[in-house]
Amino acid sequence: MAETEFTAMGVRIGRRLRSLSTAGQVRIRGGRLELLTSYGSEIDSAPVQAVRASRPWFAPEGRALADLNGTRYLLTMGVGDPAPGQPGPPAARRFIEAVRRAAGRDG
């Protein structure tokens, strides 16, 4: 079984004005990005090389855009687990960095 490279839980996953999950999960594992409902059902998945992740210019810090299979998803994430006494980077920024690392697009 492949090692999980990134996981975010409690993510609001939306497409256009429609909410697909208010407590979903985003996971990068084995070279694939998976968007899951709160029950673990797959919403969409794609190889990370085919995924485009970015921060929308119009949204606050905790949001990210992910383009999978020609569909754009808006992901609203909370702050991840910071080190003790440290604020830590927002989960949306960590997600974008994880997609780039997994796809081999560092930088």
Side-chain angles (χ1 to χ4, degrees):
M1 181 157 208
E3 182 179 325
T4 301
E5 301 161 24
F6 177 86
T7 301
M9 300 184 79
V11 178
R12 182 186 180 279
I13 302 172
R15 184 172 59 211
R16 297 189 185 242
L17 297 175
R18 183 173 177 223
S19 178
L20 302 174
S21 180
T22 56
Q25 183 176 357
V26 176
R27 184 169 54 196
I28 299 175
R29 180 175 63 178
R32 289 190 71 80
L33 172 68
E34 301 170 331
L35 302 178
L36 307 170
T37 66
S38 57
Y39 298 107
S41 300
E42 185 176 292
I43 294 171
D44 204 349
S45 71
V48 288
Q49 290 83 4
V51 174
R52 199 174 99 206
S54 61
R55 185 179 173 281
W57 61 269
F58 58 86
E61 185 74 20
R63 294 188 182 179
L65 290 173
D67 291 325
L68 284 82
N69 303 319
T71 304
R72 178 171 288 174
Y73 296 95
L74 178 62
L75 310 174
T76 305
M77 304 178 179
V79 175
D81 298 319
Q86 299 292 327
R93 187 173 346 131
R94 290 186 313 126
F95 164 71
I96 294 166
E97 291 169 359
V99 169
R100 291 180 180 156
R101 266 193 320 274
R105 295 180 292 223
D106 291 348

